[in-house]
Amino acid sequence: MLKIKSLSCALIIGLLLASSYSWAATTDKNKLPQIGTSGFSVLSIDKERQIGQAMMQQVRGSGTIVNDPVLIEYINDLGNTLVKNAQDVNYRFEFFIVNNQELNAFAFFGGHIGIHSGLITTADTESELASVIAHEISHVTQRHLARRIEAQSRNQPLTMAGIVSGILLTMINPAVGMAALSTSMAASQQMGINYTRGNEQEADRVGITLLANSGFDPLGAPNFFGKMLERYRYSSKPPAILLTHPLPESRVSEARIRAQNFPLRSVPPKLEFELAKARIKARYEGDKKYNIEHFTHAINKNRYAFLAAAQYGLALSYFEDKSYDKAYTLLMTLLKSDANNLFYIDALSDVLIELRKFEQAEKMLADINLLMPNNQVAALNYANVLLEMGKLDKSAQVLQDFLLMHPDSFIAYDLLTTVYRKQDKKALMHVSKAEVMALVGAYPQAIDELQTAMNYADDLPIVRKRIKGRILQLQDQQDKLRRLN
């Protein structure tokens, strides 16, 4: 697993609303806009993209995202399996995981969808997890955010400045964010619940259809609803997802009726889903000693759908406990049965670095990078191993090639900054560091880094021209962001 430093930035953005918020009740539903026709009078698709990008920068800067290439790859593969069967897709969707054990998921402008790690580990099947993602995709494709803003603009001026700072905080950490929002949202509570209820019903209907059309079990949605409802029926503190997605029993029954309208489908368990759950538990939840006991017990009692997933979780737990030889033995056994499995390759890369088996790691990753060019797990781990070996020029080349195809890769720019620092290429180091800053929306700091880079680029005329051009681009992006407020 590649570990990078987290950056924080206070980026205040206007006109932003989260799809998942609910407030006091109302019964007047006559003003619900027509599907596919609403929202455009207030926000164009292009403006939604701009706002979504700005929000995503703030999320990156919060330091709560799981910057884990394997899990990023998994959740985007799953999400895009659903997106390719969705209607009215106006954006390139981006899926990400928030390191939070609360059960929650959320969507915002521009096709950005966040899933809390706790929701993934709580789902029993991939269809249950996919049902939540399909629901959030439906919030985006039905333009529920724009529709809510349009409705609010009819009833009162759009004075959102007082609530913006709490919006993303509420999505990412509901317990803290709700307190931040409570004093600011009173004026729009009545309107909010009306749209929440209507939007939730619509997202359920569209999401279950999307789930079925994408090859998943449509019963995954009501099964997950029912599980949550039963688990927290008598709880004084419901999970975040029930705070942000109200779940009356009628909604569960309606979802089950909708799901039963589709043909029965038996979807077999999926190894990648179980591996993702094991990875989150071993690396982001619990104590390493406890996790070793947990996975050992699971293996002995055959508690996992796949033995390989429990063994993988145990190997990761051994790694966290610095028992590298035990982790190596388990991972080599797993890799023999599934040579191109990126979950295993990523974990083994870390182990081989700790055991200083650099040549073995380099060969493994060179082969997989050739087989899967521009795959983030293969490329970033390969570059990291080359960096550890001191093969800095080759590491930089791998990262530069990767960034041509993935210009928004936070991890790649962070690694490249380290490579340039070790090469004593100060101009390029500051340029790369500026891109890290820009990805979290810290434009003034990014421009400062580029201006510093100019001081070290006197004998690099091409680099100086590129720096000047990039400064102008970032200043333009900064101006666009100001105009959104």
Side-chain angles (χ1 to χ4, degrees):
M1 177 182 63
L2 302 170
K3 294 185 178 180
I4 65 176
K5 294 185 293 183
S6 63
L7 297 174
S8 63
C9 101
L11 185 61
I12 304 301
I13 307 161
L15 304 177
L16 306 180
L17 285 173
S19 70
S20 53
Y21 302 108
S22 60
W23 309 99
T26 184
T27 58
D28 179 12
K29 298 183 181 180
N30 295 326
K31 294 182 181 178
L32 188 64
Q34 294 294 318
I35 296 174
T37 62
S38 61
F40 289 98
S41 64
V42 174
L43 287 175
S44 65
I45 296 295
D46 184 60
K47 184 164 285 189
E48 281 196 39
R49 288 195 187 98
Q50 292 179 45
I51 294 173
Q53 180 183 10
M55 292 184 77
M56 192 63 215
Q57 289 170 338
Q58 188 173 0
V59 173
R60 289 194 197 104
S62 71
T64 58
I65 286 185
V66 174
N67 282 305
D68 184 320
V70 182
L71 292 174
I72 294 171
E73 193 81 11
Y74 169 74
I75 204 66
N76 277 277
D77 282 348
L78 177 57
N80 285 316
T81 297
L82 294 158
V83 168
K84 70 182 181 183
N85 294 292
Q87 303 295 318
D88 301 315
V89 175
N90 296 305
Y91 326 93
R92 180 182 65 84
F93 275 70
E94 179 178 0
F95 302 87
F96 59 94
I97 298 172
V98 174
N99 187 11
N100 192 317
Q101 294 185 40
E102 287 267 15
L103 303 188
N104 203 15
F106 55 90
F108 57 84
F109 291 122
H112 300 280
I113 293 178
I115 299 97
H116 282 212
S117 57
L119 191 143
I120 299 172
T121 55
T122 299
D124 287 327
T125 68
E126 191 171 53
S127 290
E128 290 183 357
L129 172 59
S131 74
V132 177
I133 298 174
H135 180 94
E136 298 302 331
I137 291 171
S138 300
H139 276 309
V140 175
T141 59
Q142 302 310 112
R143 303 195 78 230
H144 286 159
L145 297 173
R147 287 162 63 180
R148 180 171 174 182
I149 287 181
E150 182 175 75
Q152 183 153 355
S153 70
R154 296 194 194 108
N155 293 289
Q156 59 182 301
L158 281 173
T159 55
M160 298 297 175
I163 67 169
V164 165
S165 62
I167 291 294
L168 282 175
L169 181 59
T170 305
M171 289 192 292
I172 297 170
N173 191 338
V176 176
M178 282 297 183
L181 285 171
S182 60
T183 58
S184 303
M185 291 296 292
S188 62
Q189 288 182 2
Q190 284 297 111
M191 183 277 300
I193 189 63
N194 180 40
Y195 274 80
T196 297
R197 285 178 173 174
N199 292 349
E200 290 302 297
Q201 289 174 348
E202 188 170 82
D204 285 347
R205 175 179 59 78
V206 176
I208 289 172
T209 301
L210 176 57
L211 191 67
N213 291 343
S214 301
F216 296 97
D217 182 1
L219 288 172
N223 287 347
F224 196 62
F225 284 167
K227 178 191 302 178
M228 287 193 298
L229 195 62
E230 185 62 32
R231 180 178 298 182
Y232 296 100
R233 186 183 299 273
Y234 304 109
S235 174
S236 59
K237 184 185 177 184
I241 199 169
L242 296 189
L243 290 173
T244 58
H245 296 71
L247 190 61
E249 292 195 24
S250 60
R251 186 177 166 201
V252 179
S253 60
E254 288 169 5
R256 191 167 297 281
I257 291 170
R258 288 192 186 98
Q260 289 172 342
N261 287 330
F262 294 93
L264 291 175
R265 176 177 288 141
S266 177
V267 179
K270 191 172 179 181
L271 175 61
E272 286 76 11
F273 169 67
E274 297 295 339
L275 290 173
K277 288 179 63 174
R279 185 178 183 89
I280 290 170
K281 180 166 185 61
R283 287 227 152 130
Y284 302 99
E285 295 181 2
D287 174 79
K288 55 196 174 186
K289 297 292 187 183
Y290 170 82
N291 286 337
I292 289 173
E293 292 179 6
H294 167 81
F295 287 111
T296 300
H297 182 73
I299 292 169
N300 293 336
K301 298 294 183 180
N302 197 24
R303 291 285 176 85
Y304 268 65
F306 293 90
L307 175 62
Q311 292 173 325
Y312 174 70
L314 181 58
L316 291 178
S317 300
Y318 279 143
F319 177 85
E320 296 297 323
D321 195 45
K322 303 187 186 305
S323 300
Y324 303 125
D325 288 324
K326 292 181 179 179
Y328 176 79
T329 300
L330 271 173
L331 289 168
M332 287 300 294
T333 300
L334 290 170
L335 203 62
K336 285 178 183 177
S337 64
D338 194 355
N340 297 326
N341 189 305
L342 294 175
F343 282 89
Y344 305 156
I345 287 169
D346 177 90
L348 186 57
S349 299
D350 293 340
V351 172
L352 291 173
I353 287 173
E354 295 297 336
L355 293 174
R356 306 194 67 77
K357 296 184 178 184
F358 295 121
E359 289 76 15
Q360 183 180 346
E362 182 183 16
K363 182 181 186 311
M364 176 184 71
L365 290 164
D367 290 346
I368 200 68
N369 192 50
L370 189 63
L371 181 66
M372 304 179 187
N374 292 314
N375 176 280
Q376 62 182 309
V377 179
L380 296 178
N381 275 288
Y382 186 32
N384 190 45
V385 166
L386 292 169
L387 170 62
E388 293 289 338
M389 296 176 75
K391 296 185 177 183
L392 302 178
D393 290 343
K394 194 171 182 180
S395 179
Q397 188 62 59
V398 170
L399 291 168
Q400 290 162 1
D401 291 346
F402 178 77
L403 283 165
L404 289 174
M405 299 299 295
H406 303 273
D408 292 338
S409 176
F410 191 90
I411 302 172
Y413 274 118
D414 190 80
L415 275 174
L416 192 56
T417 300
T418 303
V419 172
Y420 287 145
R421 183 182 297 115
K422 287 181 176 292
Q423 290 179 313
D424 199 31
K425 294 182 177 180
K426 294 182 180 179
L428 294 177
M429 181 195 75
H430 286 288
V431 168
S432 184
K433 192 174 180 181
E435 296 302 330
V436 175
M437 297 291 186
L439 284 172
V440 299
Y443 293 124
Q445 294 92 324
I447 292 169
D448 284 346
E449 288 292 337
L450 289 172
Q451 289 171 340
T452 301
M454 291 283 283
N455 297 330
Y456 296 101
D458 289 337
D459 57 343
L460 302 168
I462 294 177
V463 173
R464 286 182 66 86
K465 287 182 180 179
R466 289 176 179 171
I467 293 171
K468 289 179 181 179
R470 186 59 176 148
I471 289 174
L472 292 175
Q473 286 180 335
L474 292 182
Q475 288 173 338
D476 181 60
Q477 290 177 23
Q478 192 173 21
D479 288 341
K480 287 180 179 178
L481 182 60
R482 290 193 185 110
R483 289 196 296 270
L484 286 177
N485 285 317

